[in-house]
Every structure is written in structure tokens, then in C-alpha cells.
Amino acid sequence: MSEQRPLLDSDNRSDETSEGVEERRRVQRLFTGPLLILVLIVMMVLVIFVGGKDIRNLWLLRGDPLTAARRVLSQWPVIDGHIDLPVLYRYGYANNVSAINLNEPTQGHVDIPRLRKGHVGGFWWSTYVACPQQEETDDDFNTPSWRVRDTLEQIDVARLVIDQYPETFRLSHSVDDAREAMGSGKVASWIGIEGGHQLGNSLASLRQYYELGVRYVTLTHTCHNAFADSGGFLEPLPPLHYGLSPFGRELIVEMNRLGMIVDLSHTSDQTALQAMTASRAPVFWSHSSSRAVWNVSRNVPNEILSRIGLGPDKRDGVVMVNFAPYFVAAEGEATVEKVADHVEMIAKVAGKKHVGIGSDFDGIESTPAGLEDVSKYPNLFAILIKRGWTIEDLSGLAGGNFLRVFEGVERVAREMRAEGAKPSMMLYSKRPDLPVERPEMR
């Protein structure tokens, strides 16, 4: 007997006459029609007087908030703007991608079982290389270093690890790639570069990084560079360019043309404000929190948050909230509830369509209580459910807001190319080796 059929199949009852079967069916038809009509009437009343979205909210957000959060994230998974998994391989294992089995628990914050438990649909693999020490550079940023080599190694690590687990990760270059990956149950994997100092003062390097799959560049890390001023770490740095340099403005134009996201985490306030004006495309902060909640220079002030938006005189963008305890609260006070405070402050000032998640996992030594690793994202969403966030709000926070911003970046790149925009040939004005003076070319 087929396993899909009920054990008590009414048509196979041997003790029932054909007349009895017909009578029973007649009674069923008599009651089924009115019952269906009643159900339809109740649904119509609910839609009219409660609203379709409200019905969905009531259904998906029913019961225990943590269970509801998992229910929501099973449909709208988390996209994290900044995870430093490649640096774990670099510092801990000298870039040996065979040294860690991501199918088993790792010493860091990320592995495949915990990604699945946390309902992660995608994340940005940050390829981080530290700023040069003061004695390693000069005022013009021309002292040779290994930053470009080290960045290439970090990109190599990210791509090799993604390839190592094809059943889990998919290298993504676009929004469409990510949607395909998530639709097939894989984790969309983009690559970002965490600092303009990793470009070697070269727009040609930027273009080659793009060819390798890089889709965002953070304009600065904790140091100034040839392109822009940094915001420092916990305290601001004295300005050098007072925002963007002319070369930095050209960098933004070239990133817009390519379709690379301008990342304003780590930048000074002047740099961020000028970049928001200079960029034709939406911008984002891959891992930053609210300065109004915790006053450190790495966080975004309300003055800048108020410039983010979809209306006139605003720039579309999304601030992906950082979990690093020293950007969240006083020492020993960072909790998932405090992180929720940052989310809500950004949502209050910029709007709920302009906030996302950028944990900084594997790039931080400690974590807020309740957000110990990538399996704990539902804890944050559960708190926001308690605070009245709707399905629309939560799905935007999880990743919808970021995807809208990235789509905007891609749209601007298509427009610029259709307009005939060409690759920038601008060189760093303080570069000493080019152009070469050759008498025969005079």
C-alpha cells in the first residue's frame, strides 16, 4: 500500500455498502461548502480590518520570540557585512587553508555548523592587512611595503576556502549571484578589502582586485592613506587631507564605474560626508555602530546618519552594526541588548531601511554577551521582536537593506558604462617613479 495514502482510506472500508458511502459523501458535501465559505469570509475580514501584512506578522512572530526569530531568519537569512575569517588562516596558520576543517568547531567565531544554526545566507569575507607602522612609511605614503602582496594572499585564502566547501559556499560577484546561492541553500560569499592602504596608491590595483572578485573597498583603516583621512580607533586622528584627497575623489568615481561599493567604516567624519557627496552610487558602512549610543570615533554620528536616506539631498546607504565590545559599550557591559540599542538608534535617525549587520567576527578578540559567534544572530532578532519590529523591518535588517544598496551600486555602474565612462588613468601625484623622463620621447 502507498505510504502517502491514509491508513484509514474511506474507499477501502469493506463493511460499508455503496448506499452508505454515497450518503456519507452527500453529508460531507453539505457541510464542506458552507465551511469553505465561512473560512473565506473570515480571511477577507482579517485582510480588510487587520491587513495582510499584519496577518503575516501575527503568524510568523507568534509565540516565543527566539523561536519566532529563527522562523523569520529561515525565510530571510542574515547577510553579514564583515567577517574576518581569512585573517584567522593568516595569523593562525600562515595561510594554510588545509589547516582548518570548517565542518567542525573552530577556535574562532565561524564554522559551517554554526553558520547553519545562525541562519546565515551570505557574508563578506574581509581581506584585511594591517596599516604600516609609522616607521614603515613616509608622509607621502611612498615607502614600499608588502601590503599589496599580503592582500593578494588574503584574497587567495578566501577564494581557496570558498572552493574547498562547494556544498556550502558560493563565490558571489553580484546581487543575482547571491540570490542564486541562497536560493540553492548555499552561503553567498563576497570579498571586500579593508583599507585604501592596501591599494598601493594605484587605481590599476583597484581594477585588478575587481577582476579577482573584490566588490567593496573600505576607504581607510585606522591610518590615513593617499586617498582619505581615517577616523582612528577610539579617538579621532589629526586630519591630513581634511577628508578626501583629489586622488580619493577619483578613486570613488572609479569604484562607481566598476560597481564596487564604497565602504565608509573606519573613515573620519569629514571623509564620510565628502564621500557621500562624491559618490553617485549608494554607500555603506560594512561594520560600524552608533556614536550616540557609545561615543567612540569608529561609530557613526547622528549628523551623518541623518544624511542617509532615499529622499532629496540624501544618499542611499546602509550601516551594518558592529559587535566589537569596545564599539558597543563600556568595558564589561557589551551585551546583545546593547547591540540592539545601536540597531534601534541607527533605525531611528536614518530609518529602518538603512541598517544591517556587520559583526566583525573573527576580527575581534571578545564578543558581547549573547552574541558569542555566528550561531547567535537569532538572539538579536528575538530582542527586536520583543521591541515591536515587524517582518518588513526584520527582513530588511537581515539582508534586504544591504541588497537594495548593492543593487543601486550595480545600477550606477551600468549607467556609467552606457554613458561611455572610461577607466581612470589618474596617477598618484606624489608617485616618484612615473612618468619616466626619457630624452628620446621629448
Side-chain angles (χ1 to χ4, degrees):
M1 184 173 67
S2 170
E3 293 180 2
Q4 295 181 353
R5 299 182 65 179
L7 293 175
L8 296 177
D9 189 336
S10 61
D11 288 338
N12 288 325
R13 295 181 183 178
S14 58
D15 59 344
E16 193 169 16
T17 66
S18 60
E19 291 83 359
V21 170
E22 183 58 35
E23 176 63 19
R24 178 170 47 78
R25 287 176 176 170
R26 188 184 67 80
V27 173
Q28 286 176 342
R29 286 194 297 270
L30 185 65
F31 286 100
T32 299
L35 183 61
L36 285 173
I37 292 171
L38 180 62
V39 169
L40 287 171
I41 292 172
V42 170
M43 290 179 66
M44 289 175 64
V45 169
L46 287 172
V47 168
I48 292 169
F49 292 100
V50 179
K53 288 185 179 179
D54 291 334
I55 295 172
R56 185 179 63 169
N57 279 320
L58 289 170
W59 179 251
L60 288 176
L61 301 182
R62 69 190 187 279
D64 170 61
L66 184 56
T67 302
R70 293 188 176 119
R71 194 181 297 127
V72 170
L73 294 177
S74 68
Q75 295 191 38
W76 294 278
V78 171
I79 295 175
D80 193 311
H82 192 96
I83 287 181
D84 279 296
L85 182 57
V87 86
L88 182 68
Y89 283 89
R90 180 175 185 82
Y91 289 163
Y93 302 94
N95 294 331
N96 180 359
V97 300
S98 301
I100 303 176
N101 182 357
L102 289 181
N103 285 313
E104 298 177 355
T106 67
Q107 65 179 7
H109 305 129
V110 181
D111 53 53
I112 290 169
R114 285 184 286 178
L115 286 168
R116 297 301 189 193
K117 186 176 180 182
H119 298 281
V120 177
F123 69 88
W124 285 86
W125 299 59
S126 172
T127 56
Y128 161 77
V129 174
C131 284
Q133 298 297 313
Q134 189 168 4
E135 62 273 13
E136 295 179 298
T137 188
D138 58 56
D139 292 342
D140 294 333
F141 309 106
N142 277 319
T143 303
S145 77
W146 297 109
R147 264 66 194 181
V148 173
R149 178 204 66 181
D150 294 350
T151 301
L152 290 171
E153 289 180 350
Q154 284 278 272
I155 294 170
D156 183 57
V157 164
R159 293 184 63 121
L160 288 175
V161 176
I162 292 166
D163 289 344
Q164 194 174 6
Y165 302 92
E167 71 289 347
T168 299
F169 302 119
R170 173 173 166 176
L171 181 63
S172 299
H173 297 140
S174 65
V175 172
D176 285 346
D177 285 351
R179 288 195 167 123
E180 270 189 43
M182 291 187 285
S184 63
K186 295 184 180 181
V187 177
S189 300
W190 298 278
I191 298 174
I193 287 178
E194 196 178 358
H197 64 285
Q198 296 176 234
L199 299 177
N201 304 340
S202 170
L203 299 183
S205 296
L206 176 81
R207 288 188 284 270
Q208 294 312 301
Y209 286 152
Y210 180 89
E211 293 300 319
L212 292 173
V214 174
R215 290 298 181 270
Y216 83 60
V217 174
T218 315
L219 295 188
T220 72
H221 196 251
T222 55
C223 56
H224 300 324
N225 58 51
F227 302 101
D229 285 349
S230 166
F233 184 57
L234 299 179
E235 298 291 335
L237 297 174
L240 176 65
H241 308 291
Y242 291 88
L244 295 169
S245 70
F247 199 33
R249 293 180 184 276
E250 189 72 4
L251 170 68
I252 289 174
V253 173
E254 187 67 352
M255 290 177 70
N256 286 173
R257 185 190 70 84
L258 288 168
M260 296 179 82
I261 310 174
V262 176
D263 178 19
L264 300 179
S265 285
H266 288 289
T267 63
S268 72
D269 294 350
Q270 287 176 298
T271 296
L273 288 168
Q274 291 171 21
M276 292 171 75
T277 301
S279 179
R280 179 169 162 179
V283 298
F284 91 146
W285 287 254
S286 65
H287 58 310
S288 293
S289 295
S290 164
R291 195 178 299 174
V293 176
W294 185 239
N295 187 16
V296 295
S297 65
R298 261 289 275 116
N299 290 340
V300 186
N302 283 356
E303 176 193 2
I304 292 176
L305 293 177
S306 67
R307 307 284 184 92
I308 302 171
L310 301 173
D313 301 321
K314 292 181 182 287
R315 175 67 61 207
D316 192 11
V318 60
V319 181
M320 315 287 270
V321 172
N322 194 318
F323 296 174
Y326 32 81
F327 302 146
V328 171
E331 186 174 358
E333 296 180 12
T335 63
V336 63
E337 289 83 3
K338 287 286 188 181
V339 174
D341 293 343
H342 284 268
V343 171
E344 293 217 280
M345 177 58 72
I346 293 167
K348 177 182 177 182
V349 180
K352 288 182 177 177
K353 292 184 181 298
H354 303 282
V355 62
I357 303 296
S359 65
D360 214 354
F361 280 138
D362 277 346
I364 50 180
E365 298 80 19
S366 60
T367 59
L371 289 171
E372 289 79 9
D373 56 55
V374 293
S375 72
K376 304 296 185 180
Y377 295 111
N379 292 345
L380 175 60
F381 284 77
I383 289 169
L384 294 170
I385 288 170
K386 291 179 184 177
R387 296 184 184 184
W389 280 50
T390 67
I391 293 294
E392 184 179 6
D393 303 333
L394 296 165
S395 62
L397 174 68
N401 296 337
F402 163 73
L403 290 175
R404 183 198 70 250
V405 164
F406 198 2
E407 284 177 326
V409 171
E410 293 177 333
R411 183 174 58 253
V412 167
R414 289 193 300 270
E415 292 170 356
M416 291 180 69
R417 293 181 188 187
E419 293 163 4
K422 302 297 183 184
S424 174
M425 295 292 107
M426 187 176 193
L427 291 177
Y428 180 41
S429 62
K430 297 180 180 180
R431 182 170 173 169
D433 61 318
L434 291 178
V436 176
E437 291 293 332
R438 295 176 60 183
E440 69 271 21
M441 296 182 67
R442 288 178 182 171

